[in-house]
Amino acid sequence: MQKGLLLFLILLISSVSLGQTPAEIRATLEGKSVKDNFDLANDLFYQKKYNMAKVVFEYLVEQDPENLNFNYKAGVSSLLSNTKKTEALDFLVKAEKGISKGWDPYNYMETKAPVDCYYYLGRALHLDYQFDQAIQNFNRFKDEAGKKHFLREDADVHITQCQLGKQMVANPNTRIKITNLGPTINGEYSDFSPVLSLDGNVLFFTSRRVRKDSSNIDEWNWDNGAHYEDIYMSVKNSDGTWGEPKIVDFSEVDRNEATIGVNADGSELFVYVDDEGDGNIYNSEYADTSFDDLNKMGSDINTSYWETHATLTPDGNTLYFVSDRKGGFGGRDIYRVKKLPNGEWSKAQVLTSVINTPYDEDSPFISADGRTLYFSSNGRQSMGGFDIFVTRMDEDGNWSTPTHLEYPINTTDDDVFFIVTADGKTGYYSSQHEVMKSSGHGEDEGYGEKDIYRVDLETPEVVDVAVLKGYIVPKPGDPLPSDIEILVYNLTTGDLPQRIHPRRDDGGYVMALDPCNDYKVEYYINGALHTESDFKVPCEAGYHEIHKEIPLSPISLEGDDMVYWKVINSPSSLTGKNVAYFDAQGNMAGTVAVGEDNMFSYKNENHDYSYKFNLMGSNNTDCNATCIALVDKDGKVKGYALDGTGCDFAYKPGVYQVLDAEGNVVSQSGLKVKYYDETGAFVSETTVNCEGRFMFKPLRAKPNALFTFELDDEPLCDELDVILLGPNGEKLSQSTRTEDCKYVFGDKVTIPEAGTTMVAEYQRFYKYNKKGVADDLARFERFADSLAKIVELNGVAYVEIESSASHVPTTTFKTNRNLTNKRAEDAKQAIISAMKKRGIDPAKIKISSYNALVQGPTYKNDFKSNRETYEKYQYIKLKAK
């Protein structure tokens, strides 16, 4: 008889496992006896198949709503499942009405609930933010269950969590903003475990969604009644939105694969694979156009225990991962391995008890600085489930006491997989925030069981980090070559170069750099050096980006059909940023990069002289404060573009954008300014540009100058100040408002002579092996005179130095790298000597940019016949302002 029952259960469970939906699972229960269905549900429950058990127990509740045992089992199954945990509350509230200490868990005729019901009801109330009621039930459970009950210690933990949660919710962190990533990323199924490339442009995540080709529609995970986990990749669009996710190649329809980490440039993924209950960490590298098959990582990373998560430092030398192996502090702990000189991983070391606890730690993430670690823990310091914490490693390798990220980032449910962008301003994580909505503690209802959220952080957590980022831009219409390799040398440490490759999707590349270090970057195509450059990473604390845009074909600036734009000002450097431009129908016509002269250009396709373009990869805040002018090819301003939605800019003749002193938009209709002399006679009229500036012809014999603003909204004048600026941007006088929108300047204004030099430039080309400025002294002296004048006017001058050498071998200087560095250093010393000669303190000369290049075509032993080709890349260029 027992063998027959066991066979029946096996057959019934097998039929349930093939069901596609809860409704189809329920269909297998029709016509079966209460005892058979109860035995099936119990068997599923004790095998921890809670999602499946929940369906069967809910069916039994429908058949007998007053059976408190069925209600209890349905509630606990809901609570322990991965989906819709809040549904447990109604079942458990009802089950609490009849508690029996003689409860029989295996008897289908049992109608009462056990003492444990108080504990699970406390958990359901805790999840629903009813902290006081939850604590009452936990305490009642402790009173009724006795001191030896296996859940007693857990009840104490939950009481502590409820007390913390009550404090957190009463004092939420109102300085952060949490936003659901929306339906492009999130759907009706679970979407979770986001990981991000260092430049923030590629997002990988895990999803249980139905695939576009429906190939997994009949595949269900026996453990949770959901589709198996797949990995998806989304690349950020030029407007900052996320593109349509694409499934990663190695994902199989009948296997769980989950994202757990990614290297800096997104070319190596770290993946969790269930392996029939023995979870292990795998990696996959991006080759040509797809990710390779999964490769199980080294033996001391993976063991016979459960390894669940991994995160790699940006330099690729340290891997943090999670394991529940013996030798830890209890539960799941965070471990560390380091890369050895032979490329293998070291033996694993468990992190200190400052981080690991007797409870579970999970989902570590190491930030771009390599020293800031985010992780989740479900111990006493949590307000419920897993909460997110952050800790920092000091110079001696010691970790700080972890800091709780507070409510509403952390909730009463599991908050895990937290990551941050390289600048520390934006976080991403997965959460069940519909719990917050249902209890009045959040705005986002959520799309599915788990969703991915973005967190705008008020104070960046990452410090002292720099990032090299850029794009390889192929010729228009050409694909990106597959054999591009970028070598990054740390000249300060002398370490072996790190090799990175551009992404095939958008040509982007990225790498973390160490502050206060010198670097050299070499770009190879087909094994041949295409170009290289040197730069120094600033030493100041904070976040820095080094942009290096590498066009594979030059952009012509000649011809009357070209449109020229110049970045007048921007909160951050746009050099190297891609700009997408659009035709008259609004379709993208192409992309172009902002040059080091802050200019970009493209062919005129809009013959009505209205234009639209987008600053790709920029954030809305920076774009709102960016001023871009339409200029001729000599740089003369012809008009100003308007900043529209996101980072879109548009230009139409006669339409301007006006900003007030704080950079806020005042008007987009063109603020008119009329200029009068002291007698009230009209002199001229002009329009304020996007910098909030306007020009007028000074009356040198008459010191007073009266201006009138003509506005539709006259009260706006109360918010504006008018400042008279000199030719170098220096403040000469503050205006006084008299009446209406009239402003007057005092009689002590001295306006400098027009034509004062604001920018000084010098460039000379060298013959083979030449350097210095001695044989070009007259032109250099004129540059030095102008430089001295800038110092006199501004008190300081900023100088950009760019030197270059070709690839023609040099025996005199041993290497072309030495030669280009010598040219730059000679120019610097010549500037210092010239300033001393003119009685100016050299400390007032600030080197704002120092770029030593070796560039040009590969040398083919043809110097005599092709000398002019190589000498174009032998020069020194100076620019002062």
Side-chain angles (χ1 to χ4, degrees):
M1 182 175 177
Q2 289 177 340
K3 289 182 179 179
L5 176 60
L6 179 62
L7 178 62
F8 169 75
L9 289 174
I10 292 173
L11 292 173
L12 186 55
I13 290 172
S14 298
S15 67
V16 168
S17 69
L18 297 176
Q20 295 181 4
T21 65
E24 290 169 335
I25 295 174
R26 288 161 58 91
T28 66
L29 309 177
E30 298 289 345
K32 304 292 191 301
S33 69
V34 172
K35 181 180 185 305
D36 288 343
N37 285 336
F38 179 82
D39 289 342
L40 169 65
N42 250 7
D43 191 63
L44 291 169
F45 182 89
Y46 290 113
Q47 291 186 50
K48 298 184 179 181
K49 309 294 192 294
Y50 300 119
N51 295 67
M52 298 286 202
K54 173 185 174 183
V55 175
V56 184
F57 280 126
E58 286 179 345
Y59 176 83
L60 289 169
V61 169
E62 290 178 12
Q63 306 305 307
D64 186 1
E66 300 307 315
N67 187 308
L68 304 185
N69 187 34
F70 294 165
N71 276 275
Y72 167 73
K73 289 288 186 85
V76 176
S77 298
S78 294
L79 199 62
L80 299 180
S81 69
N82 293 322
T83 62
K84 300 179 180 178
K85 297 180 184 180
T86 52
E87 292 181 356
L89 187 57
D90 289 340
F91 292 114
L92 294 170
V93 166
K94 189 167 188 177
E96 187 195 22
K97 295 178 180 178
I99 301 297
S100 170
K101 290 189 176 182
W103 174 74
D104 185 352
Y106 303 105
N107 187 352
Y108 78 99
M109 298 181 67
E110 174 68 71
T111 60
K112 299 294 185 179
V115 172
D116 297 13
C117 184
Y118 295 127
Y119 169 83
Y120 288 109
L121 177 57
R123 286 190 57 179
L125 291 164
H126 180 187
L127 190 68
D128 200 48
Y129 292 83
Q130 299 184 51
F131 299 113
D132 289 334
Q133 295 91 326
I135 292 172
Q136 289 175 10
N137 276 273
F138 288 130
N139 283 326
R140 188 170 184 182
F141 163 74
K142 289 170 61 180
D143 293 339
E144 298 287 339
K147 295 183 179 180
K148 294 184 179 181
H149 197 287
F150 74 100
L151 290 175
R152 185 179 181 88
E153 184 178 347
D154 287 345
D156 286 333
V157 172
H158 286 294
I159 289 172
T160 301
Q161 291 178 341
C162 283
Q163 291 167 342
L164 177 62
K166 188 175 179 180
Q167 296 173 16
M168 289 282 181
V169 172
N171 300 281
N173 185 342
T174 59
R175 302 180 302 278
I176 57 100
K177 179 182 178 183
I178 300 176
T179 308
N180 191 295
L181 285 194
T184 300
I185 300 299
N186 295 310
E188 62 178 301
Y189 300 93
S190 280
D191 301 288
F192 55 98
S193 192
V195 295
L196 199 67
S197 62
L198 191 64
D199 61 0
N201 288 332
V202 183
L203 176 72
F204 299 90
F205 64 97
T206 305
S207 180
R208 290 197 177 106
R209 68 188 61 188
V210 176
R211 299 183 180 190
K212 277 198 168 183
D213 62 3
S214 299
S215 57
N216 66 333
I217 196 167
D218 292 326
E219 298 292 341
W220 294 82
N221 189 332
W222 170 254
D223 288 333
N224 53 33
H227 295 297
Y228 287 93
E229 298 165 354
D230 288 325
I231 295 175
Y232 286 81
M233 178 179 75
S234 174
V235 179
K236 188 171 286 187
N237 296 318
S238 61
D239 61 359
T241 60
W242 289 107
E244 187 68 25
K246 298 178 181 178
I247 194 167
V248 174
D249 308 82
F250 55 69
S251 292
E252 298 182 7
V253 296
D254 58 352
R255 180 180 71 180
N256 281 327
E257 305 113 348
T259 43
I260 55 177
V262 66
N263 70 342
D265 62 3
S267 64
E268 182 181 12
L269 266 178
F270 298 95
V271 176
Y272 168 80
V273 179
D274 180 62
D275 283 345
E276 298 181 355
D278 171 27
N280 288 295
I281 297 170
Y282 289 70
N283 69 333
S284 172
E285 295 187 2
Y286 194 81
D288 195 18
T289 59
S290 63
F291 280 94
D292 287 337
D293 291 337
L294 292 175
N295 173 59
K296 191 174 180 179
M297 298 192 71
S299 60
D300 209 46
I301 295 175
N302 288 311
T303 66
S304 59
Y305 293 90
W306 198 28
E307 283 75 39
T308 65
H309 208 87
T311 180
L312 186 70
T313 54
D315 62 8
N317 291 327
T318 305
L319 184 81
Y320 296 88
F321 68 97
V322 173
S323 177
D324 66 351
R325 66 187 68 184
K326 292 182 178 179
F329 292 89
R332 300 198 294 271
D333 289 318
I334 301 174
Y335 289 76
R336 180 186 68 190
V337 291
K338 287 184 171 290
K339 188 159 286 185
L340 301 172
N342 63 2
E344 300 294 325
W345 291 106
S346 70
K347 291 292 184 180
Q349 289 184 322
V350 66
L351 296 191
T352 173
S353 60
V354 171
I355 294 174
N356 289 311
T357 71
Y359 305 96
D360 289 326
E361 279 67 50
D362 209 345
S363 63
F365 171 78
I366 194 75
S367 294
D369 59 10
R371 295 189 293 129
T372 304
L373 181 70
Y374 294 85
F375 67 96
S376 292
S377 178
N378 65 0
R380 293 180 182 271
Q381 299 305 311
S382 161
M383 64 175 282
F386 280 98
D387 277 7
I388 302 161
F389 296 82
V390 60
T391 177
R392 291 181 185 80
M393 182 171 59
D394 63 22
E395 298 297 333
D396 296 324
N398 300 313
W399 294 100
S400 64
T401 301
T403 301
H404 191 276
L405 289 199
E406 301 181 326
Y407 176 84
I409 293 179
N410 286 315
T411 68
T412 55
D413 203 357
D414 290 336
D415 303 294
V416 287
F417 311 122
F418 190 85
I419 61 175
V420 295
T421 52
D423 59 8
K425 296 180 179 178
T426 306
Y428 294 89
Y429 76 123
S430 54
S431 182
Q432 300 195 48
H433 267 246
E434 72 271 14
V435 174
M436 296 172 63
K437 178 71 173 180
S438 64
S439 5
H441 292 90
E443 295 300 326
D444 284 314
E445 182 68 37
Y447 293 88
E449 300 158 5
K450 287 184 179 178
D451 282 352
I452 299 173
Y453 290 82
R454 186 186 76 241
V455 183
D456 296 326
L457 301 168
E458 182 196 40
T459 304
E461 300 288 351
V462 177
V463 295
D464 293 338
V465 64
V467 174
L468 169 66
K469 60 192 300 187
Y471 291 88
I472 306 295
V473 184
K475 295 178 182 179
D478 287 358
L480 187 74
S482 60
D483 49 6
I484 298 177
E485 186 174 54
I486 305 170
L487 270 61
V488 183
Y489 298 81
N490 188 321
L491 302 178
T492 301
T493 64
D495 294 338
L496 292 174
Q498 295 194 53
R499 299 173 183 269
I500 57 178
H501 298 84
R503 292 188 295 266
R504 300 289 299 169
D505 301 88
D506 60 357
Y509 64 91
V510 63
M511 179 183 161
L513 305 172
D514 293 325
C516 217
N517 279 229
D518 295 315
Y519 286 87
K520 177 175 75 173
V521 184
E522 296 177 341
Y523 300 85
Y524 288 87
I525 301 177
N526 292 322
L529 184 64
H530 176 269
T531 188
E532 61 180 325
S533 67
D534 285 7
F535 57 88
K536 181 180 180 64
V537 179
C539 300
E540 296 84 1
Y543 174 76
H544 299 274
E545 287 186 0
I546 310 294
H547 290 272
K548 296 289 180 182
E549 192 89 9
I550 307 299
L552 301 186
S553 63
I555 300 168
S556 173
L557 297 180
E558 302 298 327
D560 295 333
D561 59 348
M562 298 298 293
V563 183
Y564 302 91
W565 300 95
K566 184 175 180 64
V567 179
I568 303 301
N569 59 46
S570 180
S572 59
S573 173
L574 297 184
T575 299
K577 288 279 190 179
N578 267 7
V579 179
Y581 56 94
F582 301 83
D583 61 21
Q585 288 72 44
N587 302 312
M588 191 171 80
T591 61
V592 66
V594 179
E596 292 187 357
D597 58 358
N598 288 322
M599 291 187 66
F600 60 95
S601 63
Y602 51 83
K603 189 174 181 180
N604 178 12
E605 298 288 352
N606 297 351
H607 300 293
D608 62 350
Y609 300 102
S610 62
Y611 308 104
K612 180 182 177 182
F613 56 89
N614 177 276
L615 294 183
M616 302 172 68
S618 297
N619 64 65
N620 293 348
T621 302
D622 281 0
C623 290
N624 290 338
T626 295
C627 176
I628 299 179
L630 178 67
V631 298
D632 60 23
K633 60 183 179 181
D634 295 322
K636 184 178 179 181
V637 175
K638 298 162 65 177
Y640 292 85
L642 299 175
D643 172 31
T645 304
C647 286
D648 287 333
F649 286 77
Y651 173 83
K652 290 184 179 180
V655 179
Y656 299 86
Q657 182 181 36
V658 181
L659 312 177
D660 64 19
E662 283 74 39
N664 301 311
V665 175
V666 174
S667 170
Q668 294 193 10
S669 61
L671 188 61
K672 299 296 183 182
V673 181
K674 286 188 176 181
Y675 171 53
Y676 299 84
D677 65 16
E678 71 277 14
T679 67
F682 174 81
V683 176
S684 63
E685 180 178 301
T686 187
T687 309
V688 176
N689 68 23
C690 70
E691 291 184 279
R693 299 187 180 194
F694 57 91
M695 301 292 292
F696 69 97
K697 183 178 179 180
L699 304 176
R700 302 197 174 278
K702 301 171 182 178
N704 289 343
L706 182 66
F707 299 88
T708 299
F709 286 87
E710 293 186 348
L711 296 175
D712 295 333
D713 184 11
E714 196 167 271
L716 181 62
C717 292
D718 291 330
E719 304 173 16
L720 300 178
D721 289 323
V722 181
I723 300 170
L724 184 63
L725 302 177
N728 300 302
E730 69 274 26
K731 178 180 174 180
L732 299 178
S733 178
Q734 175 78 37
S735 67
T736 301
R737 181 163 171 251
T738 58
E739 57 181 334
D740 298 325
C741 284
K742 294 183 179 179
Y743 295 80
V744 66
F745 290 99
D747 57 6
K748 295 182 180 180
V749 177
T750 302
I751 301 176
E753 291 294 325
T756 303
T757 301
M758 295 178 64
V759 176
E761 295 181 304
Y762 169 84
Q763 182 173 8
R764 68 157 300 189
F765 290 88
Y766 294 107
K767 300 299 183 182
Y768 179 65
N769 266 353
K770 296 295 183 181
K771 61 183 181 63
V773 299
D775 55 352
D776 191 37
L777 194 56
R779 283 202 317 120
F780 180 78
E781 287 293 317
R782 288 197 294 273
F783 166 79
D785 288 339
S786 299
L787 178 58
K789 187 66 174 176
I790 293 174
V791 175
E792 291 174 4
L793 288 170
N794 299 335
V796 67
Y798 295 90
V799 179
E800 300 172 7
I801 299 177
E802 181 179 308
S803 65
S804 178
S806 69
H807 290 292
V808 177
T810 171
T811 56
T812 304
F813 297 95
K814 296 184 179 180
T815 68
N816 288 305
R817 173 63 49 206
N818 292 338
L819 174 56
T820 188
N821 282 330
K822 186 63 175 172
R823 284 171 175 165
E825 187 60 29
D826 281 0
K828 179 180 176 182
Q829 293 303 320
I831 291 172
I832 292 173
S833 297
M835 293 302 99
K836 288 181 177 179
K837 177 181 174 182
R838 288 162 174 77
I840 291 177
D841 183 358
K844 295 182 178 181
I845 306 298
K846 308 294 184 182
I847 307 300
S848 60
S849 176
Y850 191 96
N851 207 5
L853 308 173
V854 177
Q855 56 184 336
T858 303
Y859 184 55
K860 300 178 180 179
N861 295 315
D862 56 348
F863 179 72
K864 290 184 178 180
S865 61
N866 210 12
R867 183 173 187 143
E868 291 183 358
T869 299
Y870 297 113
E871 287 182 346
K872 289 191 298 184
Y873 298 96
Q874 299 186 155
Y875 62 82
I876 187 75
K877 185 188 296 184
L878 308 175
K879 184 175 181 180
K881 56 185 179 180

